[in-house]
Amino acid sequence: MPTLSSIQSLVFDTRCIEHHGDHAVEAGLNLLEGMSFEALVSAPSIQAALNLVKPNDPENSYLIHKLEDRAGIMGNVMPPRGDPLSAEEIEVIRQWIAAGAQNN
């Protein structure tokens, strides 16, 4: 089962903190280790009427919408530079959310 710590090291630290970390906290989102749980889980999006991560409900988690470039998102698909996350990377995040989005 995916954990936040595995997602942190494999995805957030390598693909996201350039825009959502120490030097840039775009959209008010800080994904540095120790900050990402509070920034994501049950936190309202400033771009949509959804929480960024709704525990147990990846379909209604705005993070998934942004990663999958769904219709209706504001701005660009994430990440905005480089290759998009792979289907496997998104699936790991989806599974973590579906399992309750624990701080583990």
Side-chain angles (χ1 to χ4, degrees):
M1 186 59 59
T3 63
L4 177 59
S5 59
S6 67
I7 294 167
Q8 183 72 51
S9 64
L10 298 173
V11 179
F12 297 161
D13 290 349
T14 61
R15 305 289 303 279
C16 304
I17 62 172
E18 177 183 348
H19 298 281
H20 300 290
D22 265 345
H23 304 294
V25 183
E26 293 182 26
L29 184 58
N30 187 339
L31 295 179
L32 286 174
E33 186 172 357
M35 305 294 289
S36 57
F37 180 80
E38 185 176 317
L40 289 170
V41 178
S42 300
S45 168
I46 65 169
Q47 297 180 338
L50 294 171
N51 283 346
L52 293 170
V53 169
K54 184 176 181 185
N56 304 304
D57 193 355
E59 287 305 308
N60 287 302
S61 295
Y62 193 60
L63 177 62
I64 296 296
H65 291 222
K66 287 290 280 190
L67 295 174
E68 293 181 341
D69 197 18
R70 291 190 184 180
I73 65 168
M74 291 186 66
N76 299 318
V77 64
M78 293 294 112
R81 290 191 198 112
D83 293 330
L85 295 185
S86 69
E88 293 81 15
E89 289 169 316
I90 295 170
E91 182 59 24
V92 166
I93 296 169
R94 177 185 295 283
Q95 288 176 11
W96 171 70
I97 295 169
Q102 299 298 306
N103 189 6
N104 53 5

